[in-house]
Amino acid sequence: MAPFWVGTGWKMNHTRADAAAYAATLRASPLPRAPGLQLFVCPPFTALATVADGLGDCPVKVAAQNIHWAAAGAHTGEISAAMVADCGATMAELGHSERRHDIGETDEEIGRKVRAALDAGLIALLCVGETRLERRAGAAIEATVRQLKLGLGDVAADELKRCLVAYEPVWAIGEGGVPCSPADAASVHAALRAAMAEKAGAVGVVPPVLYGGSVNLENCRALAAEPEIDGLFVGRAAWQAEGLLAVAEAALEVRRQRTA
Ligand code: PEP
């Protein structure tokens, strides 16, 4: 059975000491080894190695929050896929809404980063999500499927098995965000899955589609009960390790009941 994914992006939070404590808490818990669950953590670059080293053989995946598309060279301030892999990352989170909207990353650039992640042997976690205006205009599916197609534009069908997609509506993320209902998330997830099935054809595997945006301990059960949702991408509610573990445990319990 495919695992249910639960992960967190720390954004620009946590020192190396915080990161070491976070990793130690995960390592001390039996939950990361629970069948049917795959945890991941996206620390800032400065804490990648601390988290990866602190986790040791604990099977929580470590993801960078961004990479540059180039393998090396004159790109001051940037970090390559090989560099994050060297710090212990096995995944890269790409196209988060804060990078699209605050930094101005384009779909074309995000597609190049997805390519670079795969070329370096990383799992590419592509984030897509519509703005409030796009949703109000009835264009949520159109906007997210467009981001998906451009983000995965240079990915071959047989490479889809090394991709994950996170549906993170911009209006649902962060302070003041309104969590998406499981039913609304499900309709976008189904559209994303259909677009990927077309791309996958006979040889490819359709990547898991995670939901992110104001997930917390209160709403995670209802989201996890929705069959279209293959995992949860959590921000604020998992910035402490106990928060990630609590959401993961609750979600896993619901998934187990659903498949029992
Ligand atoms: C995010 O920024 O990806 C996110 C899911 O944040 P939050 O859960 O805090 O809304």
Side-chain angles (χ1 to χ4, degrees), residues 141-163:
I141 287 179
E142 185 190 326
T144 50
V145 169
R146 185 189 63 241
Q147 290 171 7
L148 178 89
K149 286 187 172 168
L150 293 169
L152 298 181
D154 213 6
V155 176
D158 67 351
E159 292 175 312
L160 287 172
K161 58 180 177 296
R162 295 198 287 124
C163 298

Side-chain angles (χ1 to χ4, degrees), residues 128 144-145 148 165-167 187-197 206 209:
V128 299
T144 50
V145 169
L148 178 89
V165 172
Y167 169 53
S187 70
V188 178
H189 282 219
L192 295 171
R193 213 184 297 284
M196 290 192 286
V206 176
V209 186

